[in-house]
């Protein structure tokens, strides 16, 4: 048997064992032994076993679907039936299975996967936000239409609201445009908006999650019963859960609730620029090299270049902590202190990002990740063009509290910068290391303790020279 075909069977077998279809595997092996003996040849047992494995798996899938009506969509059941028929047609002539490899590849093509997008209008689809649900759906929708191994339809969950007397989902599905959060940019016809999150994920093998991190647990609790056991997820969430009890990344939270593999995506990605197809880069953190190839095929375009790294947590840390730095940059803009001062704040903030990540995760984070698009590039972009910077600038100019500015400037959209600043401070204060993070501490005090913005410079003379060797000088 062709080595590539054999390896694909072995990998598939491992995957099915992971999701618990043991009965199907055992049934397949029994059928395989019978097939092999009937063929009466040296390699008949191997070929028969592999064929029987597929038969047993398909039978178990159909059996499981019947036991849980509504979980597996009709279109998937039809594909299983087609796959079953295709397996039955595999030629085993002359005991050699000469066409087995070609037939197996044809069978695998019949198992297409589905994509779903989880988004929430509260932040993910604002045109000036980071990579939003609508912008991501625009990219993924265009890509899956060209990929043979994916279903054409991409479902995007939209928090229903009325726009000019019409439901937003109806507008998206008829006019193929999110007129409220990404106006002027057409969505592919295969992107379908649904108002129910469980409908978006049902039957999907690849789930992309885009919403403010403070709402994630509620959403996960809603959809977890509708997730396929062989699904995987991609988090585009810019936030981390930090408290005096420790740190939880969004991928860890998603994995813990949904029990599926989770990757992360972050980068210098202002959504309206992406929608205008201006060249940019992004970073995907994915531990499984094969799965990374799949995720890259979903997102990569000539104008949206994707680089994959194995450092999932590092990508997440960069995506969350850069928003705190952007708040500091906005304070500098509000004070009118110019580019030299702003550059200094960006540099110090970037080093404190790295220091905090190393302190929490230690060797679990790769130093090189900070030089990817998710790291240095995203810090620069967010500190010059992001909403967190803009809000912080207005905070200094007007003296209004952040929540009020969110209502006035962003229609109530929730930003992550000052929220993450509060979470970061809770953690470093509980560890007794606030003096090692003077910029993050100053930003917190300005946001939450009414310290004047010019106090951002207090205590910034910190030595970062040992951070490449140890988490921080004396932690």
């Amino acid at each position: 048997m062709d080595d590539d075909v054999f390896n694909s069977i072995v990998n598939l077998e491992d995957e099915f064992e992971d999701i618990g279809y043991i009965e199907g595997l055992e049934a397949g092996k029994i059928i395989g032994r019978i097939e092999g003996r009937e063929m009466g040849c040296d390699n008949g047992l191997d070929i028969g076993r592999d064929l029987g494995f597929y038969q047993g798996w398909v039978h178990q899938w159909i059996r499981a679907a019947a036991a849980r009506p509504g979980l597996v969509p009709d279109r998937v059941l039809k594909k299983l039936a087609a796959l079953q028929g295709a397996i039955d047609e595999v030629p085993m002539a002359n005991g050699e299975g000469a066409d087995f490899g070609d037939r197996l590849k044809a069978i695998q093509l019949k198992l297409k996967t589905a994509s779903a997008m989880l988004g929430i209008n509260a932040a993910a689809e604002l045109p000036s936000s980071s990579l939003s649900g609508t912008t991501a759906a625009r990219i993924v929708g265009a890509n899956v239409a060209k990929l043979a191994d994916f279903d054409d339809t991409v479902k995007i969950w939209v928090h229903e609201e009325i726009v000019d007397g019409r439901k937003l989902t109806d507008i998206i599905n008829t006019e193929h445009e999110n007129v409220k959060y990404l106006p002027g940019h057409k969505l592919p016809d295969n992107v379908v908006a649904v108002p129910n999150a469980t409908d978006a994920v049902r039957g999907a093998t690849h789930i992309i999650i885009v919403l403010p991190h403070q709402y994630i647990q509620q959403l996960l609790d809603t959809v977890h019963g509708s997730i396929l056991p062989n699904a995987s997820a991609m988090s585009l969430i810019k936030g981390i859960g930090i408290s005096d009890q420790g740190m939880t990344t969004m991928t860890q939270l998603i994995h813990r609730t949904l029990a599926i593999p989770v990757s992360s995506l972050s980068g210098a990605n202002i959504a309206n620029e992406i929608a205008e197809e201006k060249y940019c880069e992004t970073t995907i953190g994915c531990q499984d090299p094969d799965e990374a190839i799949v995720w890259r095929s979903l997102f990569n375009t000539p104008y949206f270049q994707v680089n994959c790294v194995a450092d999932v947590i590092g990508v997440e840390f960069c995506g969350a902590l850069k928003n705190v730095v952007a708040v500091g940059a906005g304070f500098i803009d509000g004070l009118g202190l110019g580019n030299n001062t702003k550059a200094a704040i960006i540099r110090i903030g970037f080093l404190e990002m790295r220091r905090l990540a190393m302190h929490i995760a230690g060797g679990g984070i790769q130093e090189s990740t900070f030089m990817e698009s998710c790291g240095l590039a995203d810090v620069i972009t967010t500190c010059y063009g992001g909403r967190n910077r803009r809000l912080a600038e207005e905070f200094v100019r007007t003296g209004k509290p952040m929540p009020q500015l969110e209502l006035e400037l962003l229609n109530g959209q929730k930003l992550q910068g000052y929220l993450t600043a509060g979470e970061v401070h809770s953690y470093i204060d509980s560890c007794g290391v606030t003096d090692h993070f003077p910029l993050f501490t100053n930003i917190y005090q300005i946001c939450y303790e009414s310290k004047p913005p010019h106090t951002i410079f207090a205590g910034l003379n910190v030595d970062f020279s040992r951070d490449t060797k140890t988490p921080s000088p004396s932690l």
Side-chain angles (χ1 to χ4, degrees), residues 130 236-240 264-267 312-324 353 369-370 373-375 378-379 382 388 416-417 420:
S130 60
L236 276 64
I237 302 172
K238 302 298 190 291
I240 48 179
S264 58
L265 183 151
S266 186
V312 179
I313 294 178
V315 172
E316 287 188 276
F317 262 113
C318 290
L321 297 179
K322 54 97 177 185
N323 285 323
V324 181
M353 281 174 51
T369 301
F370 290 90
S373 178
C374 64
D378 200 9
V379 172
T382 307
N388 287 283
Q416 305 305 302
T420 303

Side-chain angles (χ1 to χ4, degrees), residues 57-58 62 74-90 103 106-112:
W57 173 71
V58 172
I62 294 174
D74 289 342
R75 59 181 175 78
V76 176
L77 293 176
K78 291 178 182 178
K79 289 179 181 178
L80 287 170
L83 178 63
Q84 185 175 18
I87 290 174
D88 292 341
E89 296 171 4
V90 174
R103 290 299 301 161
I107 288 169
Q108 291 172 321
L109 287 177
K110 291 179 180 291
L111 274 181
K112 290 187 175 182

